[in-house]
Amino acid sequence: MKIFIDTGNLEEIKKAANLGVLDGVTTNPSLIAREKGADFHTRLREICRIVKGPVSAEVVSTDMAGMLQEAEPLVKIAENITIKLPTIPEGVKACRQLAARGVKVNMTLCFQPLQALIVAKAGATYVSPFLGRLDDIGQDGMELIRQIRTIYNNYGFKTQILAASIRSPLHLVAAAMIGADVATVPFEVIEKMLKHPLTDSGLKKFLEDWAKIPAEKK
Ligand code: G3P
């Protein structure tokens, strides 16, 4: 499973990249808005300097022509830019056009399996089902991942399932068990991935016991 970080924050990206296991980055307009004062294109350029894997940059137009126009300067920022488009009819049309030119596309705000089927047919590189937001309204976000996995397997679609709106390590475990290709994860969840109290107490005990061995015996 590939792990992307879901943030526009450079410090978080640097810390996650330093672990050596970060595969990419996703941003969205809300995440960029949190970065007070950051110029969107400059921020993307900075992110692409840190991370060589895919970096999703989202458009805000709601018509195909506007989306394609916004995508132009974005794809020129770096070769690892992936264009993120909303899963609406205009987004599907723009996806088709960009995919035909070899531009990588991430179709976002996917909430039902048929949206995932359509974007795969339109040549999307990634589909982003939003698990947490379905859970928020009392629906089973993980069931959506399961449905998309089955549909894509049935027909051999190459579009990668990018599990998004992940809120906890449990979301990540379930998405990995189902076989999501990628998960985009907030920094707090990346930190929690390596945490276990038994690891900490076990290490403490090992070090204490090691200290009891006389120096000449080590
Ligand atoms: O990548 C999409 C993701 O950022 C949405 O997460 O927590 O705002 O639902 P959330």
Side-chain angles (χ1 to χ4, degrees):
M1 180 187 235
K2 287 177 219 151
I3 302 284
F4 291 0
I5 187 168
D6 195 28
T7 186
N9 185 281
L10 284 185
E11 289 315 306
E12 291 181 351
I13 292 168
K14 280 182 201 160
K15 280 186 197 158
N18 278 342
L19 277 175
V21 296
L22 185 67
D23 298 299
V25 179
T26 50
T27 65
N28 64 38
S30 306
L31 291 171
I32 294 293
R34 264 184 229 165
E35 300 300 305
K36 303 274 179 247
D39 170 79
F40 182 41
H41 286 214
T42 307
R43 178 52 54 99
L44 287 169
R45 208 166 285 118
E46 289 166 328
I47 295 173
C48 289
R49 271 200 284 269
I50 302 168
V51 177
K52 295 301 160 208
V55 174
S56 285
E58 188 160 343
V59 304
V60 290
S61 295
T62 52
D63 64 299
M64 181 187 75
M67 290 176 192
L68 294 177
Q69 204 177 348
E70 276 187 66
E72 281 317 307
L74 291 174
V75 292
K76 292 198 182 97
I77 287 175
E79 61 182 25
N80 51 332
I81 286 285
T82 297
I83 301 298
K84 205 170 177 191
L85 304 172
T87 306
I88 57 176
E90 290 295 301
V92 171
K93 288 193 260 174
C95 173
R96 199 156 184 79
Q97 301 257 343
L98 290 171
R101 286 170 40 197
V103 174
K104 289 198 169 73
V105 178
N106 175 1
M107 294 302 287
T108 191
L109 291 167
C110 171
F111 291 99
Q112 56 116 325
L114 295 180
Q115 288 178 313
L117 174 61
I118 294 288
V119 304
K121 289 175 74 69
T125 311
Y126 304 100
V127 64
S128 288
F130 276 30
L131 311 180
R133 292 194 194 183
L134 281 171
D135 288 359
D136 287 345
I137 59 160
Q139 291 185 19
D140 183 0
M142 217 48 73
E143 180 56 20
L144 175 60
I145 303 279
R146 233 173 260 117
Q147 290 171 321
I148 300 173
R149 182 73 281 157
T150 302
I151 292 169
Y152 283 7
N153 288 353
N154 284 350
Y155 299 102
F157 285 122
K158 297 285 176 255
T159 300
Q160 296 180 49
I161 302 174
L162 196 169
S165 187
I166 285 190
R167 308 273 171 78
S168 70
L170 277 182
H171 268 158
L172 199 46
V173 172
M177 299 278 290
I178 294 166
D181 303 284
V182 190
T184 190
V185 191
F187 181 67
E188 312 81 72
V189 176
I190 291 185
E191 281 185 312
K192 287 177 189 162
M193 284 172 79
L194 278 176
K195 273 276 170 209
H196 198 287
L198 289 180
T199 305
D200 296 340
S201 59
L203 178 60
K204 186 165 173 280
K205 179 84 171 76
F206 283 155
L207 296 180
E208 283 167 0
D209 289 343
W210 187 252
K212 290 176 197 156
I213 304 173
E216 65 276 13
K217 301 250 173 89
K218 295 193 230 188

